[in-house]
Amino acid sequence: MPQLGFGASRIYPDTAAVEGLVCATINYASDFSAGVDGYALVDDGDDVLGAVQGNIDGVGGLDDNLRIRFSYASGTANLTEEVANTSDIDAPTIGCAYRVSFRVFFATGNTVVDRINSVTFGGHTVTVHTTGQTLNSWINCSADVTATSTSNDLVIQVPSNSSVHNEFFYLRTVGIVNI
């Protein structure tokens, strides 16, 4: 698609939402080689005792991954859990389209955390998987969102329940770009 204008924005004359809309340019790429890169568990009031760790090597033969672990002390849990980056991504423009892409790896012993339910960015939530995915293998994921707000929170949601005890999944190469 042609790019017009200067600086950190693009004009997309073919944008369906609003003709001539000036979209904030987002070229976000995660970097888990030195830490969690702004990702944390979302505190939704349940008794989750999870952890987020960066720079995890040797997962499916790949290094520099983000490991997300969920566990519950009280046996009480929500039907879903979320990990989010709420600080390191530029704000989107309402009405503009963005692609969120990443790779995910679900650990072999998982019985519940076996898919990405949804991705939310710019206030728009998109379903990614509706059924369990292959365990012990890297899976490419993407979600195309049209921003309905200027929220720069990237939220990734997975299934959960009270039987989740130390289930892991890994993320790598999380990116957001204009489409």
Side-chain angles (χ1 to χ4, degrees), residues 24-156:
T25 300
I26 299 179
N27 289 309
Y28 168 75
S30 62
D31 178 7
F32 303 125
S33 66
V36 298
D37 195 28
Y39 288 80
L41 298 179
V42 174
D43 181 7
D44 53 8
D46 60 7
D47 293 325
V48 68
L49 298 174
V52 178
Q53 284 182 283
N55 195 24
I56 304 299
D57 295 339
V59 178
L62 300 174
D63 294 341
D64 301 333
N65 304 296
L66 182 72
R67 176 173 49 209
I68 300 98
R69 177 182 57 82
F70 295 110
S71 184
Y72 299 94
S74 70
T76 304
N78 290 334
L79 294 176
T80 61
E81 289 298 341
E82 299 171 339
V83 62
N85 183 320
T86 60
S87 62
D88 293 338
I89 303 169
D90 293 332
T93 301
I94 294 172
C96 291
Y98 301 93
R99 176 165 293 137
V100 178
S101 61
F102 55 92
R103 295 183 77 191
V104 63
F105 184 102
F106 300 104
T108 300
N110 289 7
T111 59
V112 176
V113 181
D114 62 358
R115 65 186 165 274
I116 301 296
N117 286 347
S118 64
V119 169
T120 302
F121 181 69
H124 184 182
T125 300
V126 175
T127 299
V128 178
H129 302 130
T130 57
T131 60
Q133 301 296 297
T134 302
L135 302 179
N136 202 35
S137 179
W138 284 105
I139 300 165
N140 295 321
C141 300
S142 69
D144 293 348
V145 300
T146 300
T148 59
S149 79
T150 58
S151 171
N152 68 336
D153 295 356
L154 170 61
V155 180
I156 298 171

